[in-house]
């Protein structure tokens, strides 16, 4: 297997977002990285500085663009944008949806909670798989024989990883292994995914309640549109 046949695409989740109201922001514009989120982005840029990164691309949302910028700058690359890397659509955008805020007890919301397998409250999982696999393929093609970084959002990253690892797509959101500023790395031999890795270069900067598997804290959501 020659090195020219091997390409790595790192799907990166963006850093922490400034969101003092605790809104599930989803695809809404105007949500930028917090000061801590910028530190996370810089940390990952440092982590990847010596890697053979030849392509950097991001979701069009501000938080993803701001996370990707220091990585592109570190490698002297122009930052590309791919609409397919965007956050999953969700009917609860603009609302607070943290643990203990009563959102699940409101009758007006029940009609959206009828089918967790699709899911009924947002973009179907299979549609996320289709667009994210296409985005992965485009990033792979742009960096053949090298490495690419594609900045996206928690749910689409977790869904495409679950698909690649042949797990069911419906899941407990608290169990997603996709911490802020984490890297889910897909290694391709030619066009075929041969392995999926995971790392957290900025783990020490991530608030403990936002780590994968952390116990929910009342009034604090683990993913306000992440």
């Amino acid at each position: 297997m020659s090195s020219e046949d091997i390409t790595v695409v790192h799907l990166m989740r963006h850093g922490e977002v400034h969101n003092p109201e605790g809104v599930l922001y989803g695809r809404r514009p105007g949500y930028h990285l917090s000061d801590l989120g910028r530190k996370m982005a810089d940390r990952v840029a440092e982590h990847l500085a010596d890697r053979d990164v030849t392509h950097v691309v991001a979701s069009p949302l501000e938080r993803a663009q701001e996370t990707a910028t220091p990585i592109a700058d570190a490698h002297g690359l122009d930052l590309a944008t791919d609409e397919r890397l965007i956050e999953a659509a969700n009917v609860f955008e603009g609302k607070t949806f943290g643990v203990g805020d009563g959102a699940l007890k409101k009758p007006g919301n029940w009609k959206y909670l009828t089918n967790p397998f699709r899911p009924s409250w947002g973009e179907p999982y299979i549609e996320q798989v289709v667009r994210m696999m296409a985005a992965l393929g485009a990033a792979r093609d742009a960096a053949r024989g090298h490495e690419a970084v594609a900045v996206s959002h928690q749910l689409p990253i977790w869904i495409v990883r679950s698909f690649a690892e042949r797990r069911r797509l419906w899941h407990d959101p608290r169990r997603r292994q996709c911490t802020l500023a984490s890297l889910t790395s897909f290694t391709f031999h030619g066009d075929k995914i041969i392995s999926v890795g995971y790392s957290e270069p900025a783990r020490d900067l991530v608030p403990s309640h936002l780590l994968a598997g952390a116990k929910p804290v009342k009034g604090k959501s683990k993913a306000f549109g992440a």
Side-chain angles (χ1 to χ4, degrees), residues 21-28 31 90-97 224-225:
E21 297 83 15
V23 172
L24 195 154
Y25 37 79
R27 293 181 173 181
R28 292 189 162 209
Y31 286 89
N90 192 309
V91 297
F92 295 112
E93 283 182 18
K95 301 179 181 179
T96 56
F97 208 70
F224 292 120

Side-chain angles (χ1 to χ4, degrees), residues 10-15 56-61 63-69 71 79-80 82 85-86 132 148-153 157 183:
H10 304 283
L11 272 185
M12 180 182 176
R13 184 183 170 194
H14 62 78
V56 181
V57 62
S59 154
L61 297 173
R63 57 194 185 270
Q65 294 277 315
E66 292 164 0
T67 298
T69 294
I71 300 172
L79 174 59
D82 190 331
L85 293 170
I86 200 167
M132 288 296 289
V149 179
V151 180
S152 186
H153 307 267
I157 293 172
L183 298 173

Side-chain angles (χ1 to χ4, degrees), residues 22-96:
V23 172
L24 195 154
Y25 37 79
R27 293 181 173 181
R28 292 189 162 209
Y31 286 89
H32 298 267
L33 292 184
S34 65
D35 289 341
L36 180 60
R38 293 182 186 280
K39 290 179 181 178
M40 293 176 182
D42 289 340
R43 173 71 62 79
V44 179
E46 293 171 5
H47 174 75
L48 294 172
D50 295 330
R51 302 296 290 264
D52 184 23
V53 175
T54 61
H55 181 65
V56 181
V57 62
S59 154
L61 297 173
E62 292 99 331
R63 57 194 185 270
Q65 294 277 315
E66 292 164 0
T67 298
T69 294
I71 300 172
D73 289 348
H75 290 88
L77 299 170
D78 291 331
L79 174 59
T81 299
D82 190 331
E83 295 279 349
R84 295 170 294 193
L85 293 170
I86 200 167
E87 174 64 290
N90 192 309
V91 297
F92 295 112
E93 283 182 18
K95 301 179 181 179
T96 56

